[in-house]
Amino acid sequence: MDNPKKNDRRISIVLNGKEALYRETEVDKQAKEELFNMQISATKEEQEHPEDFDWLLPSQQQSSAKVVDLGERRKGKKILADPYWDDGKSEASPKLPPTKRKKSPKFDFHSLPLGLIAIVLSAIIVGVSFGFMMLTIFTGEKPTTEFEASNVKDSPQAEAPVTTTANQIPTLGVEIIQGGAFSVVAKGQETAQMLKNKGFAAVLTNTTDPIYLFIGLGLDRDQATIVADQYKANGQDVYLKPYAVTANKQLKNQEQFLYLQSGVQLFQQLTQYSIHGLANTTKANNEVALAFESFTALGDPFKNNEIQHQHATAFKGALTNAYEKMQNFATSKDNVNLWQAQQYLLNGLIAYEELVKVL
């Protein structure tokens, strides 16, 4: 198409190699001017009344299921963006927002391999066994230091400690009343003599560090308290504690075993009888006499060993003197005999401890 003239509104069309000219007719001009005028009128009307123009096409004005409400979505995002706290109105404790919530993994025991379970169980068994073994090594066999509390008014015959092994050295356990502890022997001896001058009992240990001052005893805490109250009334400070003479040894000599067993039984009988006297509940007790006769009838099975014989003689002498003092109290009702009996029982406790150590 070639337009040699600027104002020439002709259109040149080449069809099948032949050029044909198209000239704009008057009708075309008139239609073009009408369309142009309509556009100008619409533009002016839009400028004068812009709010009347509908920007949506007819097809867009119809409701659709796929329309997204942007306002609601912005509102939801704002709620999730705000900090989360308990408003005090909820019945349960606050939880995380849905978008922040994480599912905690559930532990499935059945998912563990059998080999791992067997290893864990074996480790537990070995650990417990090792713990018991170490406990046994470091603690060993604990001596029996506590006895069943007895009623002083109606106390039955004292029973000898039960030995779990044949011919094992019997345990002599008491509740001791301690009057002090000393690092210097002379000071302890001075205090002990002062108590004896007042009519009380006192003995010093010779196998402990520091040296303890024992001033009375009972078979249990209740009995020892009766003696301790007598000291407290005289302004003496006291301390009660369990004390036991024991040894994890077996005697090959049956006569020696019977001697110690009979001596421990007599010791317990005399201790209980003296407590009855201090509690003013003394009554005839033929069992003490029977126990004393059984003990003295055994003779001295330690006479072949000089050191053992020395301690055995001291133990027997202390029990004999305590028995005689209790016999004197039964006839005279003089409490001096009770405190002297306590003194001999303390001496007998120390002698028994020394005898057991040399067996």
Side-chain angles (χ1 to χ4, degrees):
M1 180 177 65
D2 189 11
N3 294 325
K5 294 182 179 182
K6 188 175 182 180
N7 296 325
D8 191 1
R9 296 184 176 180
R10 294 179 299 176
I11 299 174
S12 178
I13 300 173
V14 179
L15 181 64
N16 295 328
K18 295 181 180 182
E19 181 180 1
L21 296 176
Y22 171 77
R23 294 180 181 275
E24 183 179 13
T25 63
E26 293 296 330
V27 177
D28 296 332
K29 291 180 180 181
Q30 186 177 358
K32 184 182 298 184
E33 290 177 359
E34 291 179 358
L35 179 60
F36 180 74
N37 293 332
M38 290 176 62
Q39 292 178 350
I40 294 174
S41 299
T43 303
K44 290 180 178 181
E45 185 178 359
E46 178 182 354
Q47 293 177 353
E48 294 177 359
H49 306 283
E51 66 280 359
D52 296 337
F53 188 82
D54 192 0
W55 287 92
L56 298 177
L57 296 177
S59 59
Q60 294 177 335
Q61 294 178 356
Q62 297 178 359
S63 60
S64 175
K66 297 182 179 180
V67 174
V68 178
D69 192 345
L70 297 179
E72 292 295 332
R73 177 165 292 186
R74 292 192 189 96
K75 185 178 179 180
K77 289 183 177 181
K78 184 178 183 303
I79 293 174
L80 296 178
D82 292 338
Y84 193 73
W85 63 83
D86 187 5
D87 57 2
K89 299 179 181 180
S90 303
E91 295 181 358
S93 59
K95 299 179 175 59
L96 292 175
T99 56
K100 301 294 183 181
R101 192 175 300 162
K102 295 183 179 181
K103 295 182 179 179
S104 58
K106 295 182 178 179
F107 178 76
D108 187 5
F109 182 79
H110 298 286
S111 62
L112 294 176
L114 296 178
L116 179 60
I117 297 175
I119 292 174
V120 173
L121 293 178
S122 300
I124 294 174
I125 294 173
V126 172
V128 172
S129 302
F130 181 76
F132 278 111
M133 181 182 67
M134 296 302 295
L135 180 64
T136 303
I137 293 174
F138 286 102
T139 59
E141 182 180 353
K142 294 184 179 180
T144 303
T145 58
E146 297 183 359
F147 294 85
E148 182 179 0
S150 59
N151 189 338
V152 175
K153 295 182 180 180
D154 299 314
S155 58
Q157 179 182 0
E159 298 179 358
V162 178
T163 55
T164 57
T165 307
N167 295 347
Q168 183 175 347
I169 296 177
T171 298
L172 177 55
V174 296
E175 188 77 15
I176 203 72
I177 303 168
Q178 181 176 315
F182 306 91
S183 57
V184 180
V185 178
K187 183 62 177 178
Q189 291 175 346
E190 179 183 353
T191 305
Q193 188 61 43
M194 181 180 62
L195 288 173
K196 290 180 181 180
N197 293 338
K198 292 181 180 181
F200 295 109
V203 68
L204 294 173
T205 61
N206 51 17
T207 59
T208 60
D209 186 16
I211 301 170
Y212 296 120
L213 174 63
F214 293 163
I215 58 178
L217 53 82
L219 294 182
D220 53 34
R221 179 60 61 95
D222 292 337
Q223 293 186 9
T225 301
I226 295 174
V227 182
D229 290 342
Q230 301 281 344
Y231 282 107
K232 291 179 181 179
N234 288 272
Q236 175 66 38
D237 295 332
V238 296
Y239 173 70
L240 277 64
K241 66 179 182 181
Y243 190 83
V245 179
T246 185
N248 190 18
K249 299 178 182 179
Q250 294 182 5
L251 296 174
K252 298 180 180 180
N253 191 321
Q254 181 69 15
E255 294 180 357
Q256 293 179 354
F257 168 75
L258 294 176
Y259 181 91
L260 296 180
Q261 186 181 53
S262 179
V264 169
Q265 291 176 351
L266 177 59
F267 185 97
Q268 292 174 335
Q269 287 284 348
L270 291 171
T271 300
Q272 185 165 265
Y273 197 21
S274 67
I275 299 298
H276 276 290
L278 293 173
N280 297 323
T281 58
T282 305
K283 59 183 179 180
N285 191 347
N286 297 327
E287 295 176 353
V288 177
L290 295 175
F292 179 74
E293 293 177 0
S294 300
F295 175 66
T296 55
L298 296 175
D300 185 7
F302 301 97
K303 58 185 178 181
N304 295 329
N305 187 301
E306 183 178 356
I307 298 178
Q308 295 177 0
H309 172 72
Q310 179 182 354
H311 295 309
T313 302
F315 178 60
K316 184 177 181 179
L319 294 182
T320 302
N321 291 331
Y323 175 75
E324 291 177 353
K325 293 301 179 181
M326 293 307 303
Q327 290 296 102
N328 294 338
F329 173 78
T331 57
S332 65
K333 304 299 179 182
D334 188 356
N335 285 352
V336 174
N337 294 289
L338 297 176
W339 288 109
Q340 291 178 351
Q342 282 274 313
Q343 177 67 59
Y344 287 123
L345 289 172
L346 290 173
N347 295 341
L349 178 66
I350 301 300
Y352 185 83
E353 185 173 24
E354 293 177 344
L355 175 59
V356 167
K357 289 185 176 181
V358 297
L359 293 178

